């Protein structure tokens, strides 16, 4: 089985003992979206520790809890803390929470990440709407026997990031007078950042931004028929000829600086949905 349905059911059972909310929207509070929590009218929060089959985050900047509440009047469930392949988790562990979000009722997934900019027209601090992705991670979360009750064996990937959401988000950005960029996100395993030669290669193959997350969760979301909005915060520039050193601290600082504008945009987006 792709993802043991029994495990999802076990987790749902525990969640439903704590809340009867049926969230319409799932949000992964990746780097850059942390501050969105302040705009949520929280009704319940459950630590990942208390959820069977949920992995535990090993990255300091990522907390580990599911938050239930209202954002712009809409019922949402947020993952505060997400999982990465580089932490040592298998792809099924990384994506298990997304399966749970969908089974709770969320048909929409909003996901954010920190990314290195590859497009020379980008700048540190930019918000980039993800229009498409390239998967360079070593394992696909759908590998293994497929459970048809979760999704098809061979899901198509022609419109992973919903075009209508991209259009709506662009309209909101215009109204809020916050400039945004659009582009293709490529996911690499990490945890080391890229060499100059790698940054150059990634630009050549068509990517505008590079990171270490998002693609597995989005593949699983699409497998289950969720509609996806993806956003990157450009935290550093990967221009091979003028490369400056990058560190986790630099990434976090740039993401924190961009958080207020992203929180504002996503709050307005959810309102408009
Ligand atoms: N490379 C990979 N992942 C990243 C980067 C980068 O330059 N910046 C933030 N996450």
């Amino acid at each position: 089985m792709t993802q043991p349905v029994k495990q999802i059911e076990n987790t749902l059972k525990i969640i439903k003992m704590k809340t009867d909310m049926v969230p319409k929207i799932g949000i992964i509070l990746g780097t850059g979206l942390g501050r969105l929590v302040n705009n949520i009218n929280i009704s319940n929060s459950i630590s990942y520790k208390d959820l069977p089959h949920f992995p535990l985050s090993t990255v300091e900047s990522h907390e580990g809890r599911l938050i239930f509440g209202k954002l712009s009047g809409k019922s949402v469930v947020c993952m505060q803390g997400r999982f990465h392949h580089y932490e040592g988790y298998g792809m099924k562990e990384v994506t298990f929470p997304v399966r749970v979000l969908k089974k709770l009722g969320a048909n929409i997934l909003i996901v954010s990440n920190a990314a290195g900019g590859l497009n020379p027209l980008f700048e540190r601090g930019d918000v980039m709407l993800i229009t498409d992705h390239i998967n360079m991670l070593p394992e696909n979360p759908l590998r293994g026997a497929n459970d048809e009750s979760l999704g098809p064996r061979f899901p198509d990937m022609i419109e992973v990031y919903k075009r209508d959401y991209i259009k709506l988000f662009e309209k909101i950005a215009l109204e809020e007078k916050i400039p945004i960029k659009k582009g293709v996100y490529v996911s690499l395993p990490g945890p080391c950042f890229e060499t100059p030669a790698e940054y150059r290669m990634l630009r050549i193959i068509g990517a505008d931004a590079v990171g270490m997350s998002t693609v597995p969760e989005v593949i699983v979301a699409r497998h289950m028929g969720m509609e996806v909005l993806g956003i990157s915060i450009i935290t550093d520039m990967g221009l091979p000829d003028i490369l400056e050193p990058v560190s986790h601290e630099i990434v976090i600082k740039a993401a924190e600086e961009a958080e207020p504008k992203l929180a504002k945009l996503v709050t307005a987006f959810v309102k408009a949905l």
Side-chain angles (χ1 to χ4, degrees), residues 114-117 192-194 199 210-212 233 235-238 246 251:
C192 49
F193 291 106
E194 290 67 37
Y199 280 124
V210 53
M212 306 171 193
I233 298 280
T235 55
D236 54 282
M237 287 302 297
V246 60
V251 167

Side-chain angles (χ1 to χ4, degrees), residues 25 29 54 57 59 64 83 97 123 139 166 173 179-180 182 186 197 201 205 214 222 229 241:
I25 304 168
L29 298 171
F54 256 63
S57 180
V59 186
F83 308 101
E123 281 174 33
E139 191 198 324
I166 293 171
I180 56 166
K182 286 193 290 184
V186 59
M201 172 196 74
I205 65 169
T214 303
R222 290 301 301 143
L229 175 83
D241 297 315

Side-chain angles (χ1 to χ4, degrees), residues 183-225:
V184 173
Y185 175 84
V186 59
S187 188
L188 262 64
C192 49
F193 291 106
E194 290 67 37
T195 64
E198 286 166 343
Y199 280 124
R200 185 173 283 109
M201 172 196 74
L202 296 171
R203 183 68 187 142
I204 290 169
I205 65 169
D208 295 288
V210 53
M212 306 171 193
S213 67
T214 303
V215 167
E217 294 115 309
V218 167
I219 288 175
V220 163
R222 290 301 301 143
H223 182 240
M224 298 186 88

